[in-house]
Amino acid sequence: MTQSIHEPAPIRKGTEIPIKEVLCTLSARWSLEVMAELDGGKRRFNELTRRLEGINHKVLIETLHKLQRDGYVRGPLNSLKNSTGRLVGYELTELGVTLLQLVNGVREWLDEHEQKIVDARTDFDWTKREMEFMKE
């Protein structure tokens, strides 16, 4: 049986993670930007802070913890250490890499269709203003 996009997935007890939780983590202000920075390889915390202009330490820590918890990022909490036992930073996991590939696909789609979206918004806003003007 094929499931519609609009129908919720069947609920199974135990290990199911609500899609809203996952989407909430990914749509958080800094999540995808942090992941994009890690796409180039391992980064130390202070390097991430410098590269992500506008993020503060507390927000970066919270974002990294959420991404680690869901398995997209590996870092100090996952004992990412070099041969001397020093922490070496954060990096994407295989799960994070596959997710970022999907996000990059959406970015490519947006680049290709950006003008259509801009035109649709302009048409909508214009029509809405005309309707409001007619009500007056």
Side-chain angles (χ1 to χ4, degrees), residues 7-128:
E7 294 175 14
I11 297 175
R12 294 189 311 217
K13 295 197 181 217
T15 61
E16 288 297 311
I17 299 171
I19 192 166
K20 286 182 180 181
E21 276 185 46
V22 173
L23 292 176
C24 192
T25 297
L26 296 177
S27 65
R29 167 68 176 96
W30 291 100
S31 293
L32 294 176
E33 291 182 58
V34 168
M35 291 180 68
E37 282 300 327
L38 294 174
D39 194 32
K42 292 178 186 171
R43 302 261 190 250
R44 293 176 187 250
F45 182 86
N46 287 336
E47 184 180 4
L48 285 170
T49 304
R50 282 191 306 275
R51 296 174 71 94
L52 295 164
E53 197 171 307
I55 195 168
N56 65 46
H57 285 256
K58 180 182 181 222
V59 172
L60 180 55
I61 289 168
E62 289 171 357
T63 301
L64 286 166
H65 285 181
K66 287 177 185 177
L67 295 173
Q68 284 181 276
R69 183 171 185 255
D70 284 354
Y72 310 124
V73 169
R74 183 175 20 259
L77 289 180
N78 303 106
S79 300
L80 183 65
K81 297 180 180 182
N82 63 14
S83 59
T84 64
R86 295 184 62 197
L87 298 176
V88 294
Y90 296 87
E91 67 182 348
L92 289 177
T93 62
E94 185 178 329
L95 184 64
V97 169
T98 59
L99 175 61
L100 209 50
Q101 289 170 345
L102 288 171
V103 170
N104 289 335
V106 171
R107 285 184 179 145
E108 289 172 14
W109 178 88
L110 182 57
D111 287 344
E112 185 178 327
H113 296 90
E114 183 176 17
Q115 191 57 51
K116 291 177 185 175
I117 296 168
V118 169
D119 293 345
R121 286 179 173 185
T122 301
D123 290 347
F124 179 87
D125 293 345
W126 180 256
T127 302
K128 187 176 175 188

